[in-house]
């Protein structure tokens, strides 16, 4: 059977079945916790011993490109998904021949490469920031003149949380930026710098039966290129929120996504929306859904890949998600170990999620807190009052 025919199959995977996950980090962990409540079993393929997902599910300890280990995953699972983009798309393609991978390998292949991703977004009829493929320092100079400065030079593959990119603010940045980023051997892309008013994201879910639902728009604030806060509801007009949700649905449909797809966007002062990046999986900016929505992003992902009806995505309470990095772990644990007078006074309910990572390194995502409140201002005030997240 061809991959296309295999991908066209639709199976209802009922509770009680086993879900295999390529990757065993925190997203797999939270997926397994949500799916276990529905009666599913989980097994993850992950090279790190005692990984976050492996603490709550079965684990095959092997490299992501280990094909024999992938075949073992296929034997033990009724359906296979992935929890982050940097798994081997070739392994995913192989598994399509030997197992049931409703997400397929094409979207994974597309989103692993910025140029492929941008072209796919444009093909879906959605706007991205003007960009240029870069193959030499001279091409970079010509593109920088055409797109203008500042612009952002990025590696087309790899890179996350600000890694693999360089903001070109003047011509003097061109030579060192090209020398540094071209050293990896990856293709490069130059993007016009969008002077945005807000960064937004929408998590969309599309089931293998074609049903699509979106979660409320999150307003995201980054510090040192790492997501710091997700504020929901986003402090934008309903018109902009509706357009953001429509863009996410258009991309999910146009790219034939199955499961979740996170769509990150820039909102300009004039009200324009530019799609920045995609992630075909649960996303950090969707963690707020765990307590604040009727269905979490993790349960929704399980529903989508298993061909169950998608859940209600309604927001039940305003919420601010704040990431817990390595430097925040000890003060966060200390605060949650005793009565929190500030939370009582402000009428907020902070919900702690730690991921079970073995080493708390600075700037490493170790967990998050969902701060439920009557308003996002109250949640933000509590976060500020703790002194934990102040620079």
């Amino acid at each position: 059977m061809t991959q296309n025919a295999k991908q066209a199959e639709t199976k209802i995977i009922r509770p009680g079945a086993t879900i295999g996950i390529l990757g065993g980090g925190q997203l797999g962990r939270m997926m397994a916790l949500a799916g276990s409540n529905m009666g599913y079993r989980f097994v993850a393929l992950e090279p790190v011993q005692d990984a976050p997902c492996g603490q709550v599910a079965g684990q095959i300890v092997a490299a992501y490109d280990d094909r024999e280990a992938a075949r073992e995953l296929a034997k033990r699972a009724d359906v296979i998904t992935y929890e982050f983009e940097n798994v081997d798309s070739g392994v995913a393609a192989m598994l399509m021949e030997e197992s049931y991978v409703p997400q397929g390998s094409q979207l994974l292949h597309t989103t692993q490469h910025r140029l492929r991703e941008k072209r796919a977004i444009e093909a879906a009829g959605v706007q991205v920031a003007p960009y240029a493929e870069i193959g030499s320092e001279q091409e970079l100079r010509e593109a920088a003149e055409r797109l203008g400065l500042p612009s952002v030079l990025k590696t087309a593959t790899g890179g996350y949380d600000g890694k693999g990119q360089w903001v070109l603010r003047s011509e003097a940045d061109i030579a060192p930026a090209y020398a540094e980023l071209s050293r990896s051997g990856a293709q490069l892309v130059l993007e016009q710098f969008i002077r945005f008013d807000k960064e937004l994201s929408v998590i969309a879910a599309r089931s293998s039966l074609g049903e699509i639902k979106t979660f409320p728009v999150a307003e995201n604030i980054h510090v040192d290129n790492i997501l710091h806060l997700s504020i929901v509801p986003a402090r934008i007009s309903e018109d902009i929120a509706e357009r953001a949700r429509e863009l996410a649905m258009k991309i999910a449909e146009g790219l034939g996504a199955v499961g979740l797809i996170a769509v990150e966007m820039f909102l300009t002062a004039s009200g324009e929306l530019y799609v920045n990046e995609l992630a075909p999986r649960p996303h950090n900016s969707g963690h707020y859904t765990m307590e604040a929505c009727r269905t979490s992003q993790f349960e929704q992902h399980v529903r989508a890949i298993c061909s169950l009806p998608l859940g209600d995505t309604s927001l039940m309470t305003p919420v601010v998600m704040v990431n817990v990095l390595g430097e925040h772990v000890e003060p966060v644990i200390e605060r949650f170990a005793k009565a929190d007078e500030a939370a009582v006074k402000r009428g907020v309910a902070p919900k702690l999620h730690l991921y079970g990572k073995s080493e708390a390194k600075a700037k490493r995502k170790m967990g998050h807190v969902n701060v439920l409140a009557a308003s996002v201002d109250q949640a933000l005030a509590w976060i500020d009052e703790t002194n934990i997240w102040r620079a």
Side-chain angles (χ1 to χ4, degrees), residues 272-303:
E272 285 192 277
L273 289 169
Y274 292 88
V275 170
N276 180 35
E277 289 185 345
L278 306 178
R281 52 163 172 79
H283 193 258
N284 194 174
S285 69
H287 292 350
Y288 77 87
T289 63
M290 296 174 75
E291 283 92 13
C293 292
R294 289 186 173 176
T295 305
S296 76
Q297 66 165 341
F298 299 102
E299 178 186 337
Q300 195 79 304
H301 183 75
V302 170
R303 287 177 169 274

Side-chain angles (χ1 to χ4, degrees), residues 66-86:
D66 185 327
R67 297 200 169 210
E68 287 309 308
R71 288 190 174 97
E72 176 63 23
L73 183 71
K75 289 177 187 174
R76 293 172 60 177
D78 299 290
V79 60
I80 291 175
T81 185
Y82 44 82
E83 62 121 35
F84 77 130
E85 298 95 309
N86 293 326

Side-chain angles (χ1 to χ4, degrees), residues 109-311:
H109 178 72
T110 298
T111 55
Q112 285 178 335
H113 193 284
R114 292 184 192 277
L115 285 165
R116 289 195 294 263
E117 180 176 276
K118 289 178 184 298
R119 290 164 184 154
I121 293 168
E122 289 178 312
V126 176
Q127 181 174 240
V128 298
Y131 66 95
E133 181 177 352
I134 303 301
S136 68
E137 184 180 326
Q138 182 58 34
E139 287 184 5
L140 176 57
R141 290 186 181 280
E142 293 170 358
E145 184 175 350
R146 187 169 66 253
L147 298 179
L149 296 177
S151 287
V152 187
L153 184 65
K154 299 179 179 180
T155 55
T157 55
Y160 61 93
D161 290 344
K163 298 176 176 66
Q165 58 182 267
W166 189 309
V167 179
L168 307 182
R169 303 189 186 279
S170 71
E171 287 189 15
D173 291 326
I174 291 176
Y178 183 80
E180 175 67 26
L181 296 188
S182 63
R183 191 174 297 138
S184 68
Q187 280 187 284
L188 302 180
V189 57
L190 184 70
E191 299 175 5
Q192 187 178 87
F193 187 86
I194 300 298
R195 298 188 183 279
F196 58 85
D197 188 52
K198 293 183 186 296
E199 293 183 86
L200 307 175
S201 62
V202 177
I203 311 292
R206 182 176 181 272
S207 78
S208 50
L209 299 174
E211 182 185 8
I212 300 178
K213 289 192 176 181
T214 59
F215 286 94
V217 182
E219 174 188 344
N220 300 317
I221 295 174
H222 291 77
V223 175
D224 297 330
N225 295 307
I226 301 172
L227 182 63
H228 174 45
L229 301 173
S230 289
I231 300 166
V232 187
R235 295 169 296 184
I236 56 177
S237 70
E238 182 50 41
D239 171 65
I240 290 171
E242 182 59 29
R243 283 196 285 127
R245 291 191 294 266
E246 287 173 357
L247 285 182
M249 292 179 70
K250 197 171 184 178
I251 287 172
E253 182 68 38
L255 274 63
V258 174
L260 297 186
I261 186 162
V263 182
E264 297 182 75
M265 310 173 196
F266 295 134
L267 170 66
T268 68
S270 62
E272 285 192 277
L273 289 169
Y274 292 88
V275 170
N276 180 35
E277 289 185 345
L278 306 178
R281 52 163 172 79
H283 193 258
N284 194 174
S285 69
H287 292 350
Y288 77 87
T289 63
M290 296 174 75
E291 283 92 13
C293 292
R294 289 186 173 176
T295 305
S296 76
Q297 66 165 341
F298 299 102
E299 178 186 337
Q300 195 79 304
H301 183 75
V302 170
R303 287 177 169 274
I305 63 170
C306 292
S307 302
L308 304 184
L310 297 182

